Every structure is written in structure tokens, then in C-alpha cells.
Amino acid sequence: MRASPFQNPPLLAALLLKPFFFPFRPSSSSSSSSLSLPGKTLAMAKTLDESHVGISCYVSSLPGFRGVLKQRYADFIVNEVDGDGKIVRLTTVDLPPNVDDDKEEEKSPSIDKDYSSEIESFRSLCGDADAEALKELLGRISSSPESDVLPIILSPDSDKSHRADVHNFFKKNFNFLVTDTVEGSDGNERCIRVRFSLKEAGGGSRRGKKRKNTGHSDSNDGRPFDSRGSDSWPEHLGKFLRFHLYKENKDTQEALGVIGKMLGIQQRSFGFAGTKDKRSISTQRATIFKLHANRLAALNSRLFGIKVGDFSYVREGLVLGQLFGNRFTITLRGVVADSEETVKTAADGLGKNGFINYYGLQRFGSGSVPTHLVGAALLRGEWKDAVYLILDPREGERADVREAREFYKEHGNIDATLRKLPRHLVAERAVLQCLKKCPGNYLQALKAIPRTLRMMYVHSYQSYLWNHAVSMRVQKYGVSQVALGDLVYCKDSSPVDMVKVDSSETEDDLNDGSLLEESGEEIPDEKVQFVKTVDSEDLQKGTYTFEDVVLPLPGSRIIYPGNEVANLYHEMATKDGISLIESAHGVKEFSITSMKGGYRRVFQRPIDYRWELRTYTDDNISLAETDLDIMSKSTPSDLTRKELLTNGDSAKKLASQKSKGEIDMELSKVDSISNSDALLPKMALKMEFTLPASCYATMAIRELQKSTTSQVAFHKTLNPCTG
């Protein structure tokens, strides 16, 4: 007799359901302000708990069940949904039809001439080592001018005027070489990078541009800046190449960084509508200025875990927020409940009842120093405290990161700390580099953090207040109807007016609160929609329902509810030493009174929702089709495992890009396939649904399972298999 996947008494004993509402105690443990009071010792937990950021209520009282979320990254598939509601998928890697790139491309610059005199002049300018490196680069270009030639990095050069002479030298003598200034390997020196560029992708030096134009944008429209396009770009082509970016277990910035490095293009030159979760398989749109599709398509054979395709030329590049939302295909494995009917009822209930539209834990980071605590310090004007919250050692970090933080706290040696600190710690490195130049100027150090990231701190504090406010609203007035004093969108507001204030945010706001990475997102100007306060006449007419209720994100152009929920905002802010109506300092970007604010729906129902129960025995088998599976018409399978089994060269390539521990884990998965004959059947719940931008799929799963998303570590212990 086959065992039922639901018959597991030890786990069922742990499935005592939590009450419908968690106790709401903003004056005690639900507020983490005690962690950030001036002069107090920080006593942080290893992980952030949902109750700390106000996540405590559910929509329905239906029982939940156990299930493992993201046991394998292939269990979490994300496809972007564009502004027209079309799901973005990778369907082809072929070049665009009716466009002959080769015909349109400029011929490669002639390098057959003898550059001996130029090399000797360069030798006198930069020395023997750099001259030999340049000579080798020219040789590689001469032998394969059509291929991607790796750039060279010249010797460190701290003399700014000398670097200018070098830039000008290349501009005068080598019109097919492009130069820019980059950070040296130790993080302290400046070096000049020299790269080959076909005329349509490069052509000339960037030194003539203002320094600000090397940033994320150069104009009022906020569009990505890229000065490398050729003036001779074909008139019949749009100036931006748009493509679909497919990636496995990589976030958006990491994938574009890999592609940019291969092309000799800076990551910030790419445009995209939003970031996607790293531990997933995701497909989204991206754009790049004046790049021919064949150059990008040629990378597919060299990319691992990344594919590009569905190329087209368009007039405008993508900017953050230009999407409707995301389509999720989520598989919960190892489902355990008291009966199959419990799972079916819960799955149906999610579609019918929806979920509370909380900001998920990703919004606040998963480390021991939540981002809203840094935001609170910024709003109070406590610059030094904010800096130390960012720099100080914290629980739960990698050994190398912890060592670098402890070294700086003990010795204060910035140069040595920068050498130890991993490059992905963008905020920490920016702060330290500024403190090296301007010791003691903590405000300037904070402003050195990329704007995207430093504003995320302040926005996370707004989200922190919003989460607590929505929990109070649900606890006090329920979810069955609107209440007197609720805020609702006016019925005569157009759909465009109802775009959320945080439309550029996605499931992966901050990948790790202890390892803050530059997200590449510019926070858009908040949009203030038309809202009204529900009065007695509205209640009598039944004009509005709970689905219409919104709550404000604090700012200067919003109104608060006309009931007790409004008091909570001010009480919690006051306890944190913050005023929502007066600024504590004159720095506008770190002041709530200088922000417009906005509104967010309290309730969200998944769109085009469907689900099915699946039985499986092998943890290594994918239960959902990816875009690549659909393209190849093959049985769903894991690409990493397939390459390990069938292609030794691919295995070597994988080994060069993954740590030994990751490889051992992958190989152990492969070995387990031959030993899986006796595995008992298990149950999985596969779901597909669409959510608007800024809604968190993890909050939908939380409603389904009636369990906290801060138990991800526990979920992993149920089955250590990853994918």
C-alpha cells in the first residue's frame, strides 16, 4: 500500500494553527525602535522576524499547511508582465527578421598599419609594462577584429592630470580604442581601462562628457546614459536594442554585469523595468543603446545560466517602473497537511480571498540590521549612527564580511578594510571611500552611497510604518467591509491614477540586508492619487468594499485615515524620535516632509490564478516548465544537472564559476538520482498567478500556508536539496 504524502504524524504535530490575528503590540516587541535609540546598545537577532516589521494578520481563517518554498530555484519562476499586460517569455535566440546586421555594421577599423611609433610614444608616457600590454592588445585585435577582445587595465595612476594626458593620447592616435577610468584591484587606486570597440559601439573617448554623465542618467527624463553609440547608426533602426533576458539563479544586476563585461559595456548602460529575485528562474526585458543584435546573440554560446533572445530595435530604452507586474509559477514541495482536502481548500481560498498586501521581509533586508533602522537614523539626522549601523559587525554574515567589519571597528584602517571588503558591499565601500577623503564627514559619506540605495533606507521606514498601520486596520475593523474613516480610491479615478507609489519595486528589493547590493533602481517620484475618507453616506450606499481601502505612505501630500489608524503612524514615529510633520534637519532627501508620499492598497487578489497538486518521488526533477523547456519541447529538466551528466566541458565551465561547496552539492544531487528507487511519494502544490508590480509573492504564500516567511531557514532544513 502506497504511503500518502499527507501522512506524517511528527510534522502534523507541529501544525497547530496560529490564531487568525497575531497579538498587535506596537508598544512592545512589534516595534524594533529599541534597536535604534540614540546611545543605546544594539541587541540584534540573527534574522528579522515578521512581527518586527508589522506583518501579523491574515485575510482568512482557513487552516494552512506545511510546504517548502524555493527548495530549488527552479521552483520559483518569474516572467515579467509588460505595460500592455503581455507576459515576457524567451521564445527564440534568432536574430530579428528582415534586419541584416552585417550589412548595417560599420567595417572594423583598419589596424593593418604599423603603430610602432605610437607605441614608443606611449612607452615614454606610461612605461614599458603598459606599452607591452597595448602592443599585445593591438595584436589580438589584428588577428580577430570581429570577435570580442578583452580590455586591458593600465598601471594604477593617482595623477589626475596624467590620466587626462593618457585619455587624450588614445583619442588622438587610436580612434578604435575607448578609454575610461576604473577602480584598481585594491579599491584605492585609479586605473585607465582600454578596450576595443567597433565604430558603431564605441568611436572615440568619453572624456569630453561631463562627469555626471557617467552615472545612471544624464537628463530630466531619467533614461540611462550611454555615449558610445555611433553617429552613423542606420536611420531605419530604433536606437535601442531590446531583448529578453533569461537567467537562472542570478539577479538582474549580476546577469547584466556578466553580459556587460563580455561586451566591454558598463552595467549601468542597460535599461530594465525592474529587478527579479535571484533564487529563481526569471525572464524580463532589457535594452541597450546602439548595439547590433548579432553581437549580443553571439554571447549565448559562452553564457552560463543566462540566455538572450527575442531581439528587436525600439526608439526608447526601458526605465524602472515600465511594467504591469510579474507572472509567478511557484512550486511548494514536501506538502504536509492533515488531509488533501485541507490543501485544496487553502489553494482555492487564496484565489477567492486574496491576501494582505504587506511589504515582504525582502523590503527590510534579512540581516540583523534592518534597513528601516538605518532609515530612522537618517530621518532623525543622526548621520554618525547611520554610518555605524551600515558598517558595524552584525550577526549571520559570511566569515570574510564579518572579518572585514570587525577589522575596521578595531583598527579603523580604511585602506586595509577596503582590501578585505567584498566589492558587492556597495554601500559600505562608498561610505569608507568617502570617509578616507573627508574624515568625520558622515553626512557626505552617506551621500556617497548610490542614490537608489540610500533612498531605499528611508523608503523602508515608510514601509515599516505602513505594515504596522495595516495590521492595526485589519485587527480593529476586520476584512469584511469598509469602516468609517477608511481611505479609498475615488471611484471616478482613472486606472492610470491608481498606479502604486512603489511601482518599480519587485520581489527582490534587497537581496540581503546584511549584504546590501546596488539594486540599480531609481525610486520614481511618488504619485499622489485621488482618495477620499469614507463617511456615513458611503457606508449607507455601500459604494466601497474592503478591496478599495488604501493606507498612506507618510509624506507631505497625503492625508491620513479618519479613524484610530492615523494615530498609530504618529505614535510609532514619535517613539522612534521622528516627526511626520516637521523635519529634524535641512537635508531634504532624508526628510519625510520633503517626500510627497503616496497610497498602497491594503488588499490584493492574485490575477489569472490557477493551481494543481502534483505527486513526485525525485527531488531533482523539475515540476514546472521554464522558457527554455518550452523552446526545446523537452521534458522539464534542470540545465545544470543536464550539463553535469552529459558534457564534461560544461562541467568544467560550471566548476570555474561556482564554489567547491556548490559543486559538491550539485554532484551529490546527480548521485542521488541512482539511489531514488525507494523514495516515498511526496506532494507538491504548483501555482501560477500574476501580481502587480510591488506586490510580494511571498505574502501570498504566507496567506496560503498560514506560516511566517521568516522561517525560510527552517524550510530549508526539511530538505537540504537545492537547485
Side-chain angles (χ1 to χ4, degrees):
M1 183 177 188
R2 294 186 59 154
S4 166
F6 296 99
Q7 294 172 352
N8 192 329
L11 277 177
L12 287 176
L15 288 176
L16 295 176
L17 297 175
K18 298 178 182 178
F20 178 25
F21 297 116
F22 282 60
F24 182 73
R25 297 186 295 272
S27 60
S28 58
S29 62
S30 62
S31 171
S32 54
S33 59
S34 60
L35 301 178
S36 59
L37 289 175
K40 300 292 183 181
T41 301
L42 297 177
M44 262 79 72
K46 289 187 177 181
T47 57
L48 185 64
D49 189 78
E50 285 185 346
S51 63
H52 294 157
V53 293
I55 303 172
S56 58
C57 298
Y58 298 107
V59 169
S60 80
S61 56
L62 291 172
F65 57 87
R66 287 284 189 198
V68 184
L69 176 63
K70 295 189 181 182
Q71 178 175 311
R72 310 170 75 248
Y73 60 75
D75 292 340
F76 201 88
I77 301 174
V78 185
N79 289 84
E80 187 171 274
V81 180
D82 66 21
D84 295 326
K86 183 179 179 181
I87 299 175
V88 176
R89 300 191 185 279
L90 184 71
T91 62
T92 178
V93 294
D94 296 333
L95 293 175
N98 303 322
V99 176
D100 186 353
D101 279 341
D102 292 331
K103 188 179 297 183
E104 298 299 338
E105 283 188 354
E106 294 291 326
K107 292 182 178 180
S108 300
S110 173
I111 57 172
D112 294 334
K113 63 170 286 189
D114 184 2
Y115 284 100
S116 299
S117 61
E118 287 84 355
I119 292 175
E120 290 308 310
S121 298
F122 183 69
R123 191 184 304 276
S124 63
L125 179 65
C126 292
D128 292 339
D130 288 342
E132 291 304 313
L134 174 60
K135 185 176 180 180
E136 181 183 350
L137 174 64
L138 293 175
R140 283 188 278 125
I141 295 172
S142 179
S143 61
S144 55
E146 297 297 332
S147 64
D148 294 306
V149 180
L150 293 177
I152 60 171
I153 305 294
L154 302 183
S155 303
D157 189 349
S158 59
D159 188 337
K160 185 176 180 180
S161 62
H162 183 262
R163 293 201 304 269
D165 291 339
V166 176
H167 286 295
N168 289 329
F169 175 85
F170 279 96
K171 183 178 180 180
K172 179 180 179 181
N173 295 284
F174 300 97
N175 62 358
F176 54 88
L177 296 178
V178 178
T179 63
D180 57 1
T181 302
V182 298
E183 191 178 83
S185 58
D186 64 356
N188 301 317
E189 300 287 348
R190 307 288 282 176
C191 303
I192 290 178
R193 176 174 59 179
V194 184
R195 62 183 186 272
F196 171 58
S197 181
L198 293 174
K199 194 170 183 181
E200 81 280 359
S205 170
R206 300 176 64 179
R207 298 297 294 177
K209 298 292 181 181
K210 293 182 179 179
R211 180 171 295 274
K212 71 174 184 177
N213 286 348
T214 62
H216 197 74
S217 64
D218 72 323
S219 62
N220 293 331
D221 65 3
R223 297 191 178 277
F225 173 81
D226 191 329
S227 65
R228 292 165 299 166
S230 168
D231 292 335
S232 61
W233 183 261
E235 293 184 2
H236 72 285
L237 293 183
K239 292 187 178 182
F240 289 85
L241 173 65
R242 185 174 66 197
F243 59 96
H244 291 181
L245 173 65
Y246 170 96
K247 52 202 179 297
E248 299 183 350
N249 203 29
K250 292 178 175 59
D251 61 35
T252 305
Q253 290 78 25
E254 180 183 0
L256 292 178
V258 169
I259 293 172
K261 185 175 182 180
M262 288 183 173
L263 294 173
I265 295 173
Q266 295 190 29
Q267 176 188 323
R268 63 190 174 208
S269 298
F270 292 93
F272 52 90
T275 58
K276 308 302 175 195
D277 199 348
K278 176 177 181 177
R279 188 166 176 76
S280 68
I281 293 179
S282 61
T283 306
Q284 66 183 110
R285 299 162 299 155
T287 56
I288 184 66
F289 186 64
K290 289 187 178 180
L291 182 76
H292 282 282
N294 61 346
R295 289 198 66 207
L296 189 56
L299 301 182
N300 275 323
S301 61
R302 298 162 51 195
L303 290 168
F304 181 80
I306 303 171
K307 293 294 178 186
V308 291
D310 294 88
F311 305 103
S312 62
Y313 295 99
V314 295
R315 297 177 60 124
E316 300 288 346
L318 286 168
V319 294
L320 289 154
Q322 286 186 332
L323 76 167
F324 170 79
N326 297 283
R327 180 73 177 172
F328 295 93
T329 303
I330 297 174
T331 304
L332 292 175
R333 291 177 180 260
V335 170
V336 180
D338 55 0
S339 70
E340 183 173 331
E341 192 60 33
T342 297
V343 180
K344 291 180 177 178
T345 301
D348 280 334
L350 178 62
K352 295 175 182 177
N353 303 320
F355 60 95
I356 298 174
N357 196 23
Y358 285 118
Y359 287 97
L361 288 179
Q362 302 96 315
R363 177 68 160 170
F364 308 96
S366 58
S368 59
V369 182
T371 54
H372 72 276
L373 295 187
V374 180
L378 294 176
L379 293 170
R380 290 192 297 266
E382 297 169 356
W383 317 129
K384 184 175 181 180
D385 287 351
V387 165
Y388 283 114
L389 280 170
I390 294 170
L391 294 179
D392 276 354
R394 54 186 71 176
E395 297 287 346
E397 287 194 308
R398 285 174 11 200
D400 59 334
V401 177
R402 184 174 64 253
E403 178 187 350
R405 293 186 188 278
E406 290 174 349
F407 178 86
Y408 177 71
K409 187 172 184 178
E410 181 178 353
H411 302 285
N413 186 325
I414 292 179
D415 286 338
T417 303
L418 286 170
R419 287 193 290 270
K420 294 174 176 289
L421 205 61
R423 289 186 174 275
H424 62 258
L425 295 180
V426 176
E428 289 84 344
R429 294 185 65 86
V431 166
L432 288 172
Q433 287 166 347
C434 186
L435 288 177
K436 178 183 176 182
K437 298 176 182 177
C438 309
N441 193 336
Y442 297 104
L443 174 58
Q444 191 62 34
L446 290 164
K447 287 187 174 183
I449 299 172
R451 183 179 182 275
T452 296
L453 186 50
R454 68 177 186 261
M455 291 308 299
M456 188 68 77
Y457 294 128
V458 179
H459 283 264
S460 68
Y461 186 77
Q462 290 177 299
S463 305
Y464 165 76
L465 294 182
W466 191 94
N467 273 3
H468 280 287
V470 75
S471 288
M472 180 181 182
R473 163 61 183 80
V474 172
Q475 185 190 42
K476 190 168 186 64
Y477 301 110
V479 296
S480 61
Q481 59 187 8
V482 295
L484 188 66
D486 273 341
L487 297 179
V488 293
Y489 283 125
C490 294
K491 287 293 187 181
D492 57 355
S493 292
S494 67
V496 175
D497 292 329
M498 296 185 182
V499 175
K500 292 182 179 61
V501 58
D502 46 1
S503 60
S504 74
E505 299 156 23
T506 60
E507 186 69 22
D508 195 32
D509 283 320
L510 292 174
N511 294 317
D512 189 329
S514 63
L515 301 175
L516 290 177
E517 301 179 1
E518 184 177 1
S519 70
E521 292 191 17
E522 287 287 347
I523 304 300
D525 289 337
E526 295 95 338
K527 297 180 180 180
V528 179
Q529 294 84 37
F530 294 104
V531 301
K532 66 162 293 181
T533 305
V534 172
D535 55 27
S536 56
E537 183 179 352
D538 295 320
L539 294 179
Q540 291 176 355
K541 292 181 178 179
T543 308
Y544 299 98
T545 68
F546 179 66
E547 295 186 36
D548 299 313
V549 177
V550 300
L551 280 173
L553 289 152
S556 62
R557 298 187 185 180
I558 55 94
I559 60 174
Y560 290 95
N563 51 38
E564 294 181 40
V565 178
N567 297 330
L568 180 74
Y569 283 93
H570 297 284
E571 289 171 2
M572 292 194 68
T574 298
K575 185 173 181 180
D576 288 336
I578 295 167
S579 171
L580 299 181
I581 58 176
E582 294 180 357
S583 178
H585 51 75
V587 183
K588 288 187 176 181
E589 66 176 293
F590 297 145
S591 170
I592 280 186
T593 58
S594 297
M595 302 167 68
K596 297 175 184 177
Y599 302 94
R600 178 179 174 90
R601 290 189 184 276
V602 168
F603 172 87
Q604 181 63 51
R605 184 177 282 114
I607 302 166
D608 192 18
Y609 172 70
R610 60 175 69 99
W611 63 268
E612 64 174 314
L613 286 175
R614 301 280 300 272
T615 301
Y616 68 100
T617 57
D618 189 347
D619 290 328
N620 298 297
I621 298 299
S622 293
L623 301 178
E625 284 189 325
T626 68
D627 288 353
L628 283 187
D629 292 328
I630 296 171
M631 281 177 61
S632 62
K633 305 296 183 183
S634 64
T635 301
S637 58
D638 182 82
L639 293 179
T640 299
R641 177 164 53 87
K642 183 189 299 181
E643 291 181 348
L644 281 169
L645 289 170
T646 62
N647 192 319
D649 291 336
S650 295
K652 292 177 183 178
K653 184 175 182 180
L654 172 67
S656 69
Q657 299 184 37
K658 288 195 172 187
S659 68
K660 182 180 184 300
E662 290 173 315
I663 292 299
D664 290 341
M665 185 174 293
E666 295 289 352
L667 292 173
S668 68
K669 286 170 28 183
V670 175
D671 293 338
S672 73
I673 295 175
S674 60
N675 300 319
S676 61
D677 296 338
L679 291 179
L680 295 176
K682 303 173 187 177
M683 187 65 70
L685 175 63
K686 175 186 171 186
M687 296 167 289
E688 297 179 54
F689 55 85
T690 297
L691 293 178
S694 86
C695 292
Y696 290 75
T698 50
M699 293 296 98
I701 301 304
R702 174 185 177 273
E703 176 70 35
L704 180 74
Q705 295 188 275
K706 298 298 189 294
S707 65
T708 172
T709 55
S710 55
Q711 293 179 342
V712 172
F714 170 72
H715 285 178
K716 291 180 180 178
T717 66
L718 294 179
N719 191 324
C721 172
T722 58

